[in-house]
Amino acid sequence: LLIIFFVSRMCWRRGADTPLFMSMCLLGALMPSAQEALPFLRVSLSLYAIHCQWQVLTWVWVAAEASIIVFILGMLVKEARNTKALLSWALEATCVCTVLIAPNISDTAMHFHHWFFAWILAILTRFDPPWSVATQAFFIGYYLNGIAIYGRHPVLACKEVFFLSDQQGCLAGKNTTNGTQPIYHPPNPWNCSGDYARRSWEIDFTSSSNPLDSWDRF
């Protein structure tokens, strides 16, 4: 939020205590949870999920959302040009994408959490017209939903979890008999194999009496 406050110029605008900002922020905070009521939206945004889990209705919904985002980006470019801020906005957008997305974009473990892409879009919607303020408030609410319910889950998902567990010497996931840890298998979106982050409704915890054994299914 501190980055949004400064990079998106919120520090130069009127405060967030306006009906427009608060109502759109609330809408954004409720939207992700409401979407999960639809089974075909209980998926993630990653190469693995796109190839292995998305349904036809998922593609239709995402196409509609993508069209709206493209329209918003077009409006931002138009506003940036009208306010003679196109160069600075384009440089900021390029830097944000280069720093936050480019380093991991080719990794099959990369998982675009909704807090992550909402945070990026909130940074870019930095202009003063009401439609831009409302859009930014919506994405801030979307971001808050992600970090409030799930936390800032790592973008590299299971890959980072395995790495941190190994580096910290954690017992989670270790075989208590011989002390060995499972080997990380990068997710393969082409044959739907490997270690990929799963949601609670995709995991069967009843097949083993040892809760740690469920690690092998993550």
Side-chain angles (χ1 to χ4, degrees), residues 194-215:
D195 297 304
Y196 183 74
R198 291 167 174 81
R199 307 296 288 275
S200 59
W201 51 76
E202 298 176 292
I203 304 171
D204 178 14
F205 291 104
T206 63
S207 61
S208 172
S209 59
N210 184 358
L212 290 180
D213 290 344
S214 63
W215 178 276

Side-chain angles (χ1 to χ4, degrees), residues 160-176:
E160 186 167 342
V161 172
F162 270 83
F163 174 78
L164 292 175
S165 175
D166 180 67
Q167 293 298 307
Q168 298 297 321
C170 299
L171 293 177
K174 285 190 176 181
N175 185 309
T176 55

Side-chain angles (χ1 to χ4, degrees), residues 4 8 69 72-73 76 89 96 115-126 135-136 139-140:
I4 295 175
S8 66
I69 292 176
I72 291 172
L73 290 175
L76 291 171
W89 182 84
V96 167
W115 73 261
F116 184 69
F117 70 76
W119 179 51
I120 292 175
L121 291 173
I123 293 173
L124 301 180
T125 50
R126 65 175 179 84
T135 303
Q136 184 182 63
F139 286 130
I140 290 176

Side-chain angles (χ1 to χ4, degrees), residues 1-8 10 28 32 69 76 92-93 95-101 104 110 112-126 135-147 151-153 155:
L1 287 177
L2 187 64
I3 293 176
I4 295 175
F5 185 72
F6 287 107
V7 177
S8 66
M10 284 187 68
I69 292 176
L76 291 171
E92 290 170 5
C95 289
V96 167
C97 293
T98 300
V99 172
L100 300 179
I101 299 178
N104 299 316
M110 189 170 187
F112 277 89
H113 297 287
H114 69 277
W115 73 261
F116 184 69
F117 70 76
W119 179 51
I120 292 175
L121 291 173
I123 293 173
L124 301 180
T125 50
R126 65 175 179 84
T135 303
Q136 184 182 63
F138 178 85
F139 286 130
I140 290 176
Y142 216 90
Y143 162 78
L144 292 174
N145 173 281
I147 64 173
R152 293 183 182 85
H153 282 181
V155 174

